[in-house]
Amino acid sequence: MTIIADQGGKTPFLSEEARDFLRRRGEEMAGIALAFVALIMGLALGSYNPGDPSFFNATPDAPTNALGVAGSWFSDALIRTLGLAAWGLPASLGVWSWRLIAHRKGGGRALTRIALAPLAILLTAMAASAHAPFPDWSFESGLGGIIGDVLLLQIVGLLPLTPALKLVVMATVFASAAFIAWCYALGVSRAEVFGVLHWMAASLRTTLGFVGGHSARHGAR
């Protein structure tokens, strides 16, 4: 690692190679920190139990959440307000953790793209609220939580369509908008999009070839 002085000989500074080395190590440390936060969030949400003590559920029972009382309060607040979209938080942090550690930032500036993650989460919540809840869904709000339901109802009321058609249109629109927002927020490049599409096409061809070959063999018997 070389220290080079400027022309005046007063203030030494690092060489370009040294600065690049430090920058890369800093990105890796930031990525590890994001991975830790994503893991903590994932553990809290993954072990969520509606019966655990929280702001909305006063109970003397001990929490079953992997992170204890803090995890039960945190996960309950997220699930109730954002529904399934709450998983967008650890997911986005996990993706950017990998990008920083692997030095794959995606297009543009990382901070600018990460700043769009909240919008992507809100769009996901609205798209989820446009679908019918699961039979075992434990809340009065929909799959997008309280926020998803409120935002969806505000916009649905403006459409001059039948209620059933409104939900179909909104589910399609918000799912598409959420997909685009997530691609930008996660730093997905055009090459990565084409790579995923190519993989999906190859998988489809393989599956169809297997099914066609199996059907031909079965028909020949």
Side-chain angles (χ1 to χ4, degrees):
M1 192 178 296
T2 305
I3 302 294
I4 303 176
D6 60 9
Q7 293 180 352
K10 297 180 180 179
T11 305
F13 60 94
L14 295 175
S15 66
E16 183 66 27
E17 293 79 5
R19 290 198 299 270
D20 183 66
F21 175 85
L22 293 177
R23 177 185 60 78
R24 292 172 70 86
R25 299 296 81 79
E27 289 177 355
E28 291 165 1
M29 293 180 64
I32 292 173
L34 288 181
F36 178 76
V37 176
L39 177 62
I40 293 299
M41 287 186 176
L43 285 174
L45 291 174
S47 58
Y48 172 65
N49 181 357
D52 280 347
S54 68
F55 179 81
F56 298 95
N57 184 39
T59 175
D61 298 335
T64 61
N65 195 281
L67 300 183
V69 175
S72 66
W73 277 63
F74 171 79
S75 58
D76 189 68
L78 281 184
I79 294 295
R80 287 181 184 274
T81 55
L82 293 172
L84 298 181
W87 282 98
L89 286 172
S92 58
L93 293 179
V95 169
W96 275 106
S97 167
W98 169 76
R99 286 196 175 281
L100 289 172
I101 293 174
H103 305 291
R104 298 186 60 171
K105 292 185 180 180
R109 298 168 57 184
L111 291 179
T112 303
R113 288 179 172 265
I114 293 175
L116 196 63
L119 175 60
I121 291 174
L122 290 179
L123 290 171
T124 303
M126 296 168 71
S129 288
H131 293 79
F134 307 130
D136 56 348
W137 187 248
S138 305
F139 311 102
E140 295 181 1
S141 58
L143 297 178
I146 298 173
I147 293 178
D149 285 0
V150 170
L151 294 177
L152 181 67
L153 288 175
Q154 293 296 321
I155 297 177
V156 163
L158 302 176
L159 298 179
L161 302 172
T162 63
L165 186 56
K166 286 180 180 181
L167 291 179
V168 173
V169 172
M170 289 297 95
T172 303
V173 169
F174 289 128
S176 301
F179 175 78
I180 295 173
W182 276 120
C183 285
Y184 187 88
L186 298 180
V188 178
S189 65
R190 183 177 301 178
E192 290 171 338
V193 172
F194 286 137
V196 171
L197 293 177
H198 177 75
W199 173 80
M200 293 175 63
S203 300
L204 181 60
R205 287 196 300 268
T206 302
T207 302
L208 292 176
F210 173 79
V211 172
H214 178 75
S215 299
R217 290 192 300 269
H218 182 75
R221 292 181 180 177

